[in-house]
Each structure stands twice: as C-alpha cells, then as structure tokens.
Amino acid sequence: MGSDDDTRRCGFAPSAVGGHARRLCRRRFAALLPAVVVAITSCAGVPHVAPPLAGAPGAAAPAGPAPAPVVDGLPGMPPVLDPRNIYSATGPTMFTDAAKAAKPLVYVPHTKSGDVWVIDPARLAVVARYELGGELQHVVPSYDMKTLYATDDITNKMTPFDPRTGEPGPNIPVQDPYNMYFTPDGRTAISVAEAQKRLVFYDPHTWQEQGDLPTPDCAGIDHADFTADGRTAVFSCEFAGRVAVVDVASRRLLRMIDMPVRNTTMGPQDVKLAPDGSVFYVADSEQNGLWVLDGAATKVLREIPTGHGAHGLYLSRDAQRMFVTNRHEGSISVLDAYTGAPITKWWIPGGSPDMGNVTPDGRQLWLSGRYDRAVYVIDTTDGRLIHTFRVGHGPHGLCVWPQPGRYSLGHTGITR
C-alpha cells in the first residue's frame, strides 16, 4: 500500500471554522437583500433547485420565513425535505412502520465462513448463527425496509431475512450480487455484479430481471451513492482507479472519471454524498484517503488524506460528521461531513475496521473487523472501544437494524 506522507496531500479541505464563517457571511448578505431572485441552473446529475420567490422590486418583503428550496427529484422519489441536509429524515425517532416492527439486531455476514451471525446489541450477545454457504458480502435492507438480504456473489443468490424475527427464508437467485442498491424511486433493485463488470436490474418485489448495463471499463465495480435529486448514481471501480457515472432513469452510462492517481489493486471503495449534495466522497484504500468529486459527478476536485486502507464511509446521526474506516491501520478518521475537514482520529489497536453503521440513536458505531474475525462497538462521542466480539471468518458488510429514514438505498442500511 502507498505511504501516508505529506507528498500525497494535494488540495487540503477547507477548515471547519472557515466553512462556518462563509455560511455566516452568506446568511448576513441574504438578510440585507430580501428581494433578490436567484436563478439556478444545473447540468446532469446536479439537484434541480427552485429558489424562493421574492416580491417585485421595491415591494415589501413577505411576512414569515422564506419558503425552502425544492429539489426536482427523480419521478416517484420521496421529496427532499431539506436540501441543506438530505439525511434530515433519518433522525433517531424517524422510523417507518416497517422499521418499528423490526427486532433490534445486528447482522454480520462472513465472506470466508459463509454464515451470518446475529447479535443482540442491547445484551451485547450473539443470539443466532445461520450457515448459508457461499461468500456472503453484505446484509442489505430493502427499499421498503421490510426485508434484509444477505448477498452471495459466489453462488449467485440472496438470502432474505425477516427483520421482525431475525430469521432467514428461502434463497432468491440473483446474478453476482456482490452488493445491492435500490433506485431512489423504489422501482428497481441493482445487483452490483463485480466479477461480471455490470449492473443487473431487477424488480425489487418479484426479482424478475429487467435488464443490465455492462461496465467493461469499471473493473471491481462495488459501491455507490446517488445525487440528492436521485437522477444520477456514482459507482466505484476498485480495480480500475475510476468511477462510473450512471443515469438512473435511462440506465445509461454517462461517463467514466479517472482518479488523479489510478490505483488498481485496491483503489476506489465506498462512496458517500455530502449532506448538502455539494460533493461526493470516494474512499481509496491504496491512496490512504478520499477523493472529492463535484456534486454533478463530472470531475475530481481534491484529495483528503485519512489513513492507510481508507474504505467505509458513514455519517453521524445528525449528519454533521463522517466516519472513515482505515482498515489497514486500525483507525477511524472523523471528518466534517460538509467540508471534509479533519476533526479527530480514533484508534483500534490491531484492528481492521471495515463496514457497518451507526445505531438509531447515533451513540454507537458498529463495524466489522474484516481481517481479524471481529466486530467492534465504538462510542461516537469520544471514540472509545466499548466492546469487541469474536466472530466468524471474513466479517464484511455488517448491518445494524432497524435504521430511521423513509426508504433504504441498500448497501448496509443507507437511508434517506
């Protein structure tokens, strides 16, 4: 793996203080000009924002607060409630009825031992083990949050789990489901067929195949996220040192974007959209940090060093902080989710933090220990390691369930 020295630091993220000052200045400027009409245009992938209307020149300002901007989302997608925080519907108590009915459990899939371990987070105890066979990569919540799927990319199947009981059901045949995502309108499930270099589209209820999108130049296609308007998806290409940008509605490949350094052994990994939709963060394990793409996914803006083996990206419950798992050095970098500015770093000596999620109340971060048969429970207030479980061989896409939010985009429980 590459070193983490200063020669890799091209383009520092702005400091948290600087970002705050700029936001404060914008608010004061806006207060002096209540009648300004702002026209915003956008290119493909940028959220379409309709500005609040002011009165005619010289007219008195309307009473009460100005209406919030409106994001013109993908047809059928639930509306964005707050364009300044697309995760605003994922607060600690914001559960759907399906999520409320779920038993609070943590599901740990294993790539090597081919089983799913189920943990009771309240008792900090393993309560079940299910031998499913194959290479289990991620436990993925369905769009409607009624089902969890353990994906197996070796024997081409998914095993559904009933979150009300924590028990598995009959297998579902799916092509090479290394990972699984759902389009923001809920109409399509996307099997990220890493070995086959393609995306395979399914009806998320019947699991009938709807078609596919070959991505021959995206070797190692594996993780993704969507623009705030849900119209564009960005998929990482781990073995090609680039990302693939896809139009969601037409299922068309828009473009490939090469990273400034094309790492092709263990390159681009997890992808996360900033809360205000302004940028995408792309973890790069070999680069030991993040690449930052513009919100339209057209170019790379800068690099943020974090630590050796940068891999998973998760947000705090209030969407103010982003946790970056550096699995080759046993650390977690904590960044400002809006600016990418470093806040602190937490250490797990001898650990290999990989994939997981925060708890519904946001107080704990649960992560698989990919290379040392472990699961870690971390206090999100101070980074203290609360507990370590010894689990099976190759724990990977750990799922903490239930999660708040209106719908699931898949992966390990990414909700909006």
Side-chain angles (χ1 to χ4, degrees):
M1 298 299 124
S3 64
D4 189 26
D5 58 27
D6 288 340
T7 63
R8 308 297 285 273
R9 299 171 183 258
C10 59
F12 290 102
S15 69
V17 174
H20 173 74
R22 284 191 294 275
R23 289 192 292 271
L24 182 59
C25 288
R26 286 196 295 268
R27 288 196 296 268
R28 290 176 177 172
F29 183 73
L32 294 174
L33 300 173
V36 171
V37 178
V38 182
I40 298 176
T41 60
S42 61
C43 58
V46 178
H48 304 282
V49 180
L53 298 177
V70 177
V71 173
D72 180 17
L74 179 74
M77 184 186 87
V80 176
L81 302 179
D82 182 0
R84 294 167 296 273
N85 178 15
I86 62 171
Y87 308 104
S88 62
T90 64
T93 62
M94 298 178 176
F95 292 99
T96 64
D97 289 341
K100 289 177 182 178
K103 183 182 293 187
L105 294 170
V106 176
Y107 299 81
V108 187
H110 297 85
T111 59
K112 303 298 183 182
S113 53
D115 51 4
V116 172
W117 290 32
V118 182
I119 299 173
D120 183 331
R123 295 162 47 198
L124 291 177
V126 176
V127 294
R129 301 178 188 178
Y130 298 102
E131 301 287 341
L132 304 180
E135 186 175 84
L136 303 175
Q137 297 285 0
H138 302 88
V139 171
V140 179
S142 64
Y143 180 88
D144 60 12
M145 302 188 182
K146 295 180 179 179
T147 310
L148 307 176
Y149 298 103
T151 66
D152 170 17
D153 59 349
I154 293 297
T155 62
N156 298 311
K157 74 175 189 303
M158 296 194 311
T159 304
F161 278 76
D162 185 341
R164 297 169 300 178
T165 63
E167 297 176 352
N171 293 330
I172 300 170
V174 173
Q175 285 294 311
D176 189 20
Y178 171 83
N179 213 337
M180 179 68 63
Y181 289 89
F182 298 90
T183 56
D185 58 6
R187 294 175 181 172
T188 302
I190 306 174
S191 174
V192 185
E194 182 184 56
Q196 299 177 9
K197 296 182 185 178
R198 64 180 179 136
L199 303 175
V200 188
F201 305 104
Y202 289 88
D203 182 298
H205 305 291
T206 66
W207 293 101
Q208 294 297 307
E209 189 171 331
Q210 297 176 337
D212 71 340
L213 173 63
T215 56
D217 297 323
C218 187
I221 188 168
D222 50 24
H223 298 92
D225 204 355
F226 299 82
T227 51
D229 60 14
R231 297 174 181 269
T232 307
V234 176
F235 287 85
S236 60
C237 311
E238 181 176 355
F239 308 133
R242 49 169 60 120
V243 298
V245 183
V246 175
D247 182 82
V248 173
S250 67
R251 301 174 182 172
R252 179 170 58 92
L253 181 64
L254 297 174
R255 55 189 162 271
M256 304 293 299
I257 304 175
D258 290 351
M259 300 300 101
V261 179
R262 286 188 59 194
N263 297 305
T264 58
T265 299
M266 195 175 286
Q269 310 276 324
D270 204 5
V271 183
K272 183 66 61 183
L273 185 66
D276 60 1
S278 59
V279 297
F280 284 94
Y281 299 104
V282 181
D284 191 317
S285 185
E286 280 185 82
Q287 196 67 15
N288 304 317
L290 313 181
W291 300 111
V292 183
L293 278 62
D294 67 299
T298 65
K299 60 186 176 181
V300 179
L301 301 176
R302 63 186 189 275
E303 177 185 0
I304 303 173
T306 59
H308 287 262
H311 182 66
L313 305 175
Y314 295 96
L315 295 180
S316 61
R317 184 56 61 206
D318 60 5
Q320 294 297 308
R321 296 175 295 161
M322 181 168 63
F323 307 118
V324 183
T325 62
N326 305 307
R327 64 182 177 186
H328 293 149
E329 72 175 27
S331 75
I332 300 163
S333 294
V334 184
L335 310 181
D336 183 297
Y338 286 85
T339 68
I343 297 173
T344 189
K345 181 179 279 192
W346 301 330
W347 293 89
I348 305 174
S352 55
D354 192 275
M355 285 288 174
N357 213 337
V358 297
T359 51
D361 61 11
R363 296 179 181 178
Q364 296 176 356
L365 173 65
W366 284 63
L367 297 169
S368 59
R370 184 72 177 273
Y371 304 131
D372 58 327
R373 303 190 181 193
V375 166
Y376 315 113
V377 186
I378 299 142
D379 189 314
T380 57
T381 60
D382 56 12
R384 176 175 56 92
L385 183 61
I386 298 171
H387 191 78
T388 299
F389 294 89
R390 296 302 167 192
V391 294
H393 192 11
H396 191 198
L398 175 155
C399 178
V400 178
W401 200 252
Q403 287 288 321
R406 295 169 299 164
Y407 59 95
S408 165
L409 292 174
H411 191 34
T412 57
I414 310 306
T415 62
R416 290 187 185 175

